[in-house]
Structure formats: C-alpha cells, structure tokens
Amino acid sequence: MGLARCLAAAFLFLFLLGLTTSQRVVTVQKGPLYRVKGSHVTLWCKVSGYQGPAEQNFQWSIYLPSAPEREVQIVSTVDPSFPYAIYTQRVRSRGIFVERLQGDAVLLHITELQERDAGEYECHTPNTDKKFLGSYSAKTNLSVIADTLLASMAPQALTLTEGDAVELTCEVSTSTDQHTHLSVGWFLLQGAGEHRAKEVLTLSKDFILKPGPSYEQRFLEGDVGLNKVGNTTYKLFIRGVEPSDQGQLYCEAAEWIEDPDETWKDISRKQTERTSLAVVSQGRDLSVDIAAAERSLSEGDTLQLNCVVGAPKSSSRHFKVIWLLNSVEMAIVDHHGVFIWEEEYKERAKLGQLQAFKQSNTVYVLTIYEVGLKDKGTYQCSVSEMKIPGDSHSIQTNVSSGIQVNVKPVESHMRLSVSTSTPRITVGDSLILHCEVQGATGPVSVQWWHLPPQHPGHRVLVAAMEQDGTLSLGSAYQDGQTRGSLRLEKESSGTFTLVIPSTLDEDDGGQYRCEATQRPRGWNWTEKGEAAVTVSSMGLGLHATLRSRIATVRYGQSFELFCQVNASYPLEKVPASVRWLFQPSPAGPSYELVRVVPSGTVVWGTAQPHFQGKAQLAKADTSFRLHIHSALPADEGTYQCEVEVWRRNTLPLGQPAASTRSNVVGIKVVLPESKLQVATEDSSVEIASSNTAIECRIVFAQNNSQFAVTWYHLPPLADATPLQIIRANYSSILEYGSKFSSPAQKSRFLSQRVSSNVFQLQILSADFRDEGRYYCVVEEWLWLVDGWYKLGEGASGRTTLKFKPPEHGLQMERTNHSLSAREGEEVALPCRLQGAQVPGTLLSATWFQVKSSGRASALLTLRYDGTMEYPQERLAGRLYLRRPSAGDFSLTLSSVERGDAGAYYCQLQQWQQQSEGKDWALQASACSGYTQLTTIPPESTVLSRICSSPSLLNFILYLPLVLILPLALAVFCCYCKFRKSKKGNITGSQMMELEGDGEVKKT
C-alpha cells in the first residue's frame, strides 16, 4: 500500500513538472524606454517554454497614445503582408526590420525614430504548441524625446613643432527633462581613408578618464589630460605633441540614460568639426614598428616579437635597440647584434627560455618560450642611431608604439580526477588535495604519496585509508607539532580529501600521488593520479614598484609617490610594514623618512625632520601612498620604499620572513624661473694712463633677488682663456682669481655696486698689461625658506680696454738677442734707452717673462720714484737691476735655473709732473726687443763624477784603509825588533859596571 502511494505521488510530480516546463513565456525589453528622435532604436524579444520547431516566429504591433485600444501592426517574421499601410513603406525600405538573434530571440530595429513611433509595443509569437498554455505576447512602452544634445568646437588648422603644447576646447550641453549622463571624448583620424578614429582621451558617463591605448602612458605621466571648466566646457591638453599626434582631431559627445533593467544606453551622439593638426618633426627620419605573431597567449605558449626599423640607407647606419616591457628595459642589442640582458632576465636566458637575435640591420627578433603571467604587459622597442659604432651619444632615438600582450593562466587539469585547491601556497599555509574515484563497483582503499622533487624516484607515504575506513599516517607525518593534525576524510562514496594543516617548508612542494585500489573477486585494479603543489617562501614573488605621476615638480607644488606591492600570496592576510627611504644626492647615503609598522603605528626618521610636518601617508589594499606638500629644493633626490612581511599567526613578530625594495624614483624640484637680464652690448674703452672703470648693468631682475658678480679678463691673445679677476657673492664677500691674488693686484682691481642695477670694476693705475676684453657674469640668488638658491645667471657684453700710447714715444734698442747660460751661473739681459732722457722727466722700468702659454708675467718693476716691486716674491733674491748709466736698465739673473728659459723683454715709461703738487702723468712708453734665454745643464767635473758613482766613491774611500793597515803592521814589527836589540845592549854594559865597583856581583 505504501509503495503504491509513493508511485502515485511520483507520477503526479512528473506530470506537474511536465506541465510547468511546457508553459510558453514571452519576454520583451523592460520599459518604459526613452529614446531620441532620429536615433536608431532596438527592442529585443524572446520566447521560452515552447514546443514545436526551434525557430519561432515573431510579430510586432504598436498601440498609439491616440488610440490605446487599437492594435497597429508593424512587422512580422512570417507574413510579408502583416504591416499596416502606415508602416508598409518603412518596412519595405528596411527603415524597420527584425533581426533574428537565434531561433527563439529577435531584435526589432527602427533605423530613424519618429515622433509617431511613440507608444506601447507588443511582441507576439504565433502558437506552435499542441495546446494553448502560457503567455504568447509581452508589451513595453517607448517614449520619443527631442534631441537636445549639442557639441561644438571651433575648427582650426594648427602646425606645431614636436614637443609643443596644444589645447582644444569643446562645448557640450543638453536640456532634456530626463535624468541623463554625458560622456565627452577626443578622437584622432589619420591616414588617407580617415575611416578609423584613434581614441585620445574620454571622460566616461561615470566621470572616469579613460585614455586610448596609444595614449595610456602619456596620460599616466600627466602629458595628456582633460579639464572640465564650468558646466559645458571641456578642455583637452597635450603638453608635448609627437609626430603620431598628426591628423584630424574632433570631439564626440554622447548622452546616456539608464533603462529600467539598470543598463545604460547611449541615446544620442554628436561630433564636432575637426581641427587639423600637423606636427613638424625635429629632423628625424627614423621609424620603429613592433609586431607580434599572437597577442593573446596562455601560459607555456611561445611569444615572438619583431622590431622593424625604417630608415633610408639603413645598411650603412648603426642602430642600438632596447627591448622594453612596461617601459622597463629587458635587453639591449648593439649594432653587432650582441645582446645584454637585464639582471632579472639573465637566468631565463641561460635556461633557453628567452632568445633574441638580429635578423638584419632593420629587423630584430625577441622570442619568449613558455611565457608566464609576469610576461604580460606592453612591449616596445626603442631604437637609437649612433654616429659611429660604440658611441655613447645617439644622433636620434625613436620608440615604437606599445603592443599589449595578454597571458592567460592555464587551469590545472589533473589526471584521473586528482586535484588540489591549493596548487601554489606559501610556507605555513594549508595543503588540500582531492582524489575522486568514479565508476567503482565496491569499496576502495586509498594511499597518498609525496614525490619530493629534490629526491627523484623517491616517494614518502603521507596517509592511507583501507577499504573499511581504517586510517594510518606515514612516519614523517605522525608528529602533530610540525605540520598539525593531518586529516584524510571520505566525503562521499568516491571522494577522498587529504588536508595537511600547516606546510613546514618548501620541501613539502612537489607531486602528490593518489593510488585508489579495488579488489573485486581477487583482482587488484589500481588507478593512479598526481597533482603538483608548489610551496613558496614568503620572499618569492614579493615585489614592490614605486611610481610617481610627475618626476619634475615646481617649487611649492605637491607630489605623490605610489608604492605598489605584489606577492604570490594574498598580502592582506600577512603582517607587513613599509619603510620610505630618501637619498638627497646620488653619492650620499639613504635616510629613513618614515616607517609604518604592521600595527599601523607611524615612526618618523630623525635624519630628515622637515618631512614630518609636510608628508602624508595612506594605504589602499596593497598600495602605499606618500604625499609631500609644498615641495622644497631640499626634497629633491631619489625615493624608495621597502616592504617587510612576517609569517601569519606568528607572535611576537620577530625578524621579518622576507623583504623587498622597490625601484628608485627621482624627483626634481624646479626653482622659480629667473627673470634676470644683463646688458649684452659690446663697448670699447681707450685710455692713456691713470684709472678706469668697466660697467656691468642689470636690465631686469626680480625685486627681492640678490646678485653675485664675477669679473673676467680675456687677454688679447687669440686662444686666450678667460681669467677670473674678482667675484663678489650675494653677501658682498670678495674672492680674487689665482692670477689676481697678489697684494699688488688686489690693490689695483676693485668691484663695487654703484647703484641697484649697476656694478663697476675699478682698475687703478692701468697700463698696457691690462689690455684685453672684460665682461661680468651676474648670478641671481633668492632666499627660499631654507636657504639661498641660484635661479640663473647672465653674462654681459664685452668691453674692450685699449691702452693709448702717448704722442711722444721713447726710443729704445729693439734688437732681439739670444743668450745661453749654464745652470747656476749668472746672466745679464740687456735693456737700454737710445738718446738722452728728457729733462724734468722720470723713468720707470718693468721686466717681463713670456711663458709658453703666450701670457707675459711681470718679474720686477722699478717705479719712477725709485721704489722696487717684485710681483713674484720667490724671485726677489735672484733679480738685480744694475744701472751703469742713466739709460741702462739691464736685468741680472743669478743662479740660473732650468725653468728660467724663455723670452724676456722690458718696458720703459716716461713720467712727468704736470705742475707743482700735481700727480705724475705718463708721457711715453716703449718696449725693448725680445731676449731669448736658453739654459745649459752644469759641466761634469771629476768630483761630480765620483759623487754620482757609488761604486767609485766606495773604492776611493776604502782603498787608503786597505793600504795603510799592512804598512802600519810592518812599521810596528820593525819597532818591536829595534826595541829588543837595544835592550840587550843596555843590559851587558850595566853588568860590567857593577862588577868594576866591587859592591855587587852577578849571581
């Protein structure tokens, strides 16, 4: 009885289910819909739950507002005579038609919407079922509104030079009563056909700026942007136009409305008139194109890129090619075809995963075998032309447009239904493996094995479950303190799940094999399957990228740095800290600005305290932001971020498990623009004697600036180099040049400021040595919060100083002489006045030496009052001016040295007092001829030869000693013999005398 009831209930259920599934339902696009007059409108309609053929027919009708109960037939997919007369012509001319999307779905097209098209539309599907059940039609309302969208831009014909800036203005407005959004975009038409527009930049309906693919990098760098001014004005700016920007630019506005199904529809579009932009290239004839055989790849595929160089006479030119990925260098190839890989690609190149070669002088090929996710991005090639091979400076450089390469990850397809939900994990994460056994007719036993990659051919038992559910663990997995409590569970009749709660280290990675065994009726059937697991250290894949929207900021402007951190594991789930580093100069050390520890505490560094009051920190997901307000020159330098991570669920944190540093980003702070203008007119001054002044005038400068003035002298020689005379810095501290640092020179050259914009160089007692060109260099300095900064500088025009000789000259002997003197000796250099000295006048004399550089330096000056001056004090003890007669001023040079060789001449000046108590004035001046002095090394004497030879000197010193010793020994021997013989004679005579006396006898 119970079985019969169950069968009856099941039959009733299946019957009702059949009724439900066979019920027809017609669905039409949800209304009300608002569309603009004159636009192309589509309405979709579909049917489901029908019986009969797969291709269903559709009929469209309308109920006009003037007669809401009356059906007006429009178009049918089956009956050509279906349309009423009011729509017949439009249907025949395909002004209205039905597009079949599939057998049970269509799209109604009205190519040009009219006001009379407003009303309630009905989509009807003729019955193909055995019986009528369900709905056969559906309705929606369509309202026709006026097109009030306006877009205008004044047409222009612009011709700009590469690097110039351009700004275009577009006026967009609408006055519709409905709630709509606007989108505004700029497009570029290029080529003769001008049928495909290239998107420059668009402000979407969601108020998001979206650059076109070819303008994305320039948009990120701030060179391309869009500003909205007021309610209707939109301005596009391009800071530096490129040849690729040439073409027809226009603005397109679109009006969007949100339909009841919460989708947005553009109901009107307007284009403005076009602006013609021509970009004049700066002399470049180099074109670079990049192409890829396939842009959309999967992991493990091969990517081949070709870089094609277009240049006239390319075979005789030298190119250097740089491959770029996301604007970062990958490899460099010189004109010989030799590749230099960047550090991060060297290992892959050694393994044969990367290959690059030069196919010809215009074709370069890059091949990446087994591409990975890190290889996706925008590829470019940069080509630089070198004048000669090996030259470090390029003649011109061009970069190809970017080509976007997408790499899709390959989903894990494990054999024999073995899979893992954790194929790539980090040390400490859980490892979960699934083994699904299908088609088994009885109980199965399962064994899990680990195949460590570091021991090929070796396997380690992880866990086993017998047919009766008995669980056993391998010896390496029995200690629950290392990897946690391992679990092997049977979730269903054929699914076994292995869970290792905590991986110990990277060695837990490798292949895991599931062996399922069934033993029916004595047979032993085993199926095997493996799953690969990669256990990575926390440092693997940890990468930080630092970027800034702008690299050059103006003084007082704010800037931001973004540190984007990527890792092979979810960074949000592990403790992490970020440290911001700053290096003011390339050769100096890096300083820690601030550190944000995992708890969120901010610790400021002490080396650069001025950042604390002006820096702002923020974090969003895995991006860290450093905002610097009011940039100062002290903020200029390179910035870097360092990220440290710790193992999750580890307290206390202790040492970080891994860390990484980003690339460095340089920030340059531009000082206020200098307005300095210095008078550059050349002038000439001719003097006879006495004092003179050279003027330096500032035409324009900022009111609050200070000035440093440096005076230079250019001698009359053609190849002479400027000599610094004196420098007065912005604090009026004087500094003399090396050639003008003697006390005599310091007393003759003075710099003074005679007014707010005029500086003068005073030359006292000027003479012909001071001839030449003089000019000043003015530096503009400004105090900016933390110190003085140089804004700019300007050089004045040249003032030529000429020495006018007196009308009555002196007569001197002008014969050139050539003398030679041995080093250490004395030599006399002639200087004589011809004729008698004019009564009432005095003479002064100056001796000069002409060096190899061509500049004459004064050695000695005898003034007209009899005083002697030595400009070179080291020579004072060797120079003598002996005057055997009134007109003889010959110079005696004692102890001649090798450096005294050169040309010498003297200058005589005649002075006369104008009247009693007045100064003495120069009346005449003349120079002698040149005396060429040649120095000769000293003569070689016997003594000098002996002293210069150590062996000869030793021989002479020790030879007398060798001779004297034998002679002294011989004399000593002779003396001893003489003393002995003399003693014998004395003894005999004494004995005879004693015996004769008779007092003493010899015994």
Side-chain angles (χ1 to χ4, degrees), residues 921-999:
L922 181 64
Q923 299 297 318
S925 177
C927 292
S928 70
Y930 289 94
T931 299
Q932 183 69 37
L933 176 62
T934 304
T935 60
I936 303 174
E939 290 184 342
S940 178
T941 62
V942 175
L943 182 59
S944 65
R945 291 178 181 177
I946 293 174
C947 294
S948 62
S949 175
S951 58
L952 182 59
L953 179 62
N954 292 332
F955 176 76
I956 294 175
L957 288 176
Y958 294 114
L959 179 62
L961 295 176
V962 175
L963 297 176
I964 289 173
L965 285 175
L967 181 61
L969 183 61
V971 171
F972 179 74
C973 292
C974 293
Y975 174 76
C976 291
K977 290 181 180 181
F978 174 75
R979 291 281 295 175
K980 186 176 181 181
S981 62
K982 184 178 180 181
K983 183 178 181 181
N985 294 333
I986 294 175
T987 304
S989 61
Q990 288 177 349
M991 290 176 63
M992 291 173 63
E993 291 177 357
L994 290 173
E995 289 178 352
D997 294 341
E999 296 178 359

Side-chain angles (χ1 to χ4, degrees), residues 283-410:
R284 297 191 179 104
D285 61 344
L286 189 66
S287 64
V288 182
D289 293 316
I290 187 172
E294 183 64 41
R295 298 190 182 187
S296 182
L297 305 169
S298 299
E299 283 185 287
D301 291 346
T302 299
L303 171 64
Q304 180 173 318
L305 298 168
N306 293 339
C307 181
V308 182
V309 181
K313 302 180 180 178
S314 59
S315 59
S316 61
R317 298 165 72 170
H318 310 285
F319 302 113
K320 180 180 77 173
V321 176
I322 301 177
W323 286 99
L324 305 169
L325 172 56
N326 296 326
S327 302
V328 178
E329 291 186 7
M330 296 178 61
I332 301 175
V333 57
D334 61 15
H335 71 285
H336 293 300
V338 178
F339 270 81
I340 303 174
W341 294 98
E342 288 298 318
E343 192 65 33
E344 61 180 299
Y345 296 96
K346 288 183 178 179
E347 187 63 26
R348 296 178 64 188
K350 290 180 181 178
L351 298 175
Q353 297 176 0
L354 299 177
Q355 185 183 22
F357 62 95
K358 176 181 177 181
Q359 183 172 315
S360 66
N361 202 35
T362 58
V363 179
Y364 300 80
V365 180
L366 172 66
T367 305
I368 303 178
Y369 300 100
E370 298 180 359
V371 296
L373 297 178
K374 60 185 177 182
D375 298 319
K376 70 178 179 180
T378 302
Y379 287 81
Q380 294 174 287
C381 61
S382 172
V383 180
S384 301
E385 182 180 5
M386 304 300 171
K387 187 174 182 180
I388 58 176
D391 194 356
S392 59
H393 300 286
S394 61
I395 302 174
Q396 57 177 325
T397 299
N398 200 357
V399 182
S400 72
S401 59
I403 183 170
Q404 183 69 31
V405 175
N406 295 320
V407 180
K408 299 178 181 178
V410 176

Side-chain angles (χ1 to χ4, degrees), residues 588-605:
S590 295
Y591 302 100
E592 179 179 307
L593 295 183
V594 64
R595 178 196 294 265
V596 182
V597 299
S599 62
T601 304
V602 178
V603 181
W604 291 95

